[in-house]
Amino acid sequence: DGGITQSPKYLFRKEGQNVTLSCEQNLNHDAMYWYRQDPGQGLRLIYYSQIVNDFQKGDIAEGYSVSREKKESFPLTVTSAQKNPTAFYLCASSNQRGTEAFFGQGTRLTVV
Amino acid sequence: AQKITQTQPGMFVQEKEAVTLDCTYDTSDPSYGLFWYKQPSSGEMIFLIYQGSYDQQNATEGRYSLNFQKARKSANLVISASQLGDSAMYFCAMREGTPQKLVFGQGTRLTINP
């Protein structure tokens, strides 16, 4: 079955540590996105990428980094520079024409 | 400036009634797309419906239809014959630009009452 897989589902991080969230898709989609969602809020765009080895900052990129070495994969690193990283992180992908866009199940990150 | 505006933070509707969720957007790109998603309490984002800016007819998917008024930059979601399982957050989103960018509104929390 085609889809988007995010792992892990839950992640706990100590303050000052970097953590990497995984996002893999087998839909042959070109574009991939990372969003942050805080409780009761909408989705805010962190980074997005339409082709391999190229990506753009979204609205809240500070404290985050990404890579796009393969079409199928778009990992997000939450760095120690991110002041308030506790949130729900969602990854999405869309086709070349932008007529479909699907999401992974999300990763809940908690700083302890 | 807000690209996607959802003006209804919460809505309460009786079961079996139709409901309209509002969404207005702002773009200067002639080619764009509009999406609606449902997010139940589990957190997953469920795709509901898509409308392209060049599509002549309003999109429909089962009980969901999109009331697309291009001149007014409006893309309201209509759910016919609402069910208890429709209770969730609903998000409107717009895809625009090259590279593609997908941005979301703040959402509307829909509650269906029995």
Side-chain angles (χ1 to χ4, degrees), chain A residues 14-30:
Chain A
K14 292 183 180 179
E15 285 193 24
Q17 285 183 338
N18 292 355
V19 289
T20 297
L21 283 58
S22 170
C23 179
E24 304 272 337
Q25 55 98 2
N26 60 4
L27 299 167
N28 199 32
H29 280 172
D30 291 285

Side-chain angles (χ1 to χ4, degrees), chain A residues 21-59:
Chain A
L21 283 58
S22 170
C23 179
E24 304 272 337
Q25 55 98 2
N26 60 4
L27 299 167
N28 199 32
H29 280 172
D30 291 285
M32 296 187 74
Y33 310 84
W34 274 106
Y35 297 91
R36 169 182 173 139
Q37 186 179 32
D38 293 289
Q41 303 297 311
L43 279 68
R44 292 186 290 169
L45 182 63
I46 306 173
Y47 270 99
Y48 58 111
S49 167
Q50 186 148 11
I51 57 173
V52 173
N53 293 324
D54 189 40
F55 47 83
Q56 287 71 40
K57 292 182 179 180
D59 301 317

Side-chain angles (χ1 to χ4, degrees), chain A residues 68-89:
Chain A
R68 188 87 187 273
E69 297 177 1
K70 298 186 301 182
K71 184 177 181 177
E72 301 79 19
S73 178
F74 192 41
L76 173 74
T77 297
V78 184
T79 74
S80 57
Q82 171 49 238
K83 299 301 181 199
N84 185 18
T86 295
F88 186 48
Y89 291 87

Side-chain angles (χ1 to χ4, degrees), chain B residues 77-96:
Chain B
L77 177 71
V78 180
I79 306 174
S80 64
S82 57
Q83 303 170 356
L84 296 178
D86 293 333
S87 293
M89 282 289 286
Y90 287 81
F91 291 98
C92 180
M94 177 175 66
R95 180 267 303 152
E96 63 169 351

Side-chain angles (χ1 to χ4, degrees), chain A residues 35 37 48 50 94 96 101, chain B residues 37 39 95 99-100 102 104:
Chain A
Y35 297 91
Q37 186 179 32
Y48 58 111
Q50 186 148 11
S94 65
Q96 189 178 49
Chain B
Y37 293 87
Q39 187 180 43
R95 180 267 303 152
Q100 291 179 22
L102 184 63
F104 283 76

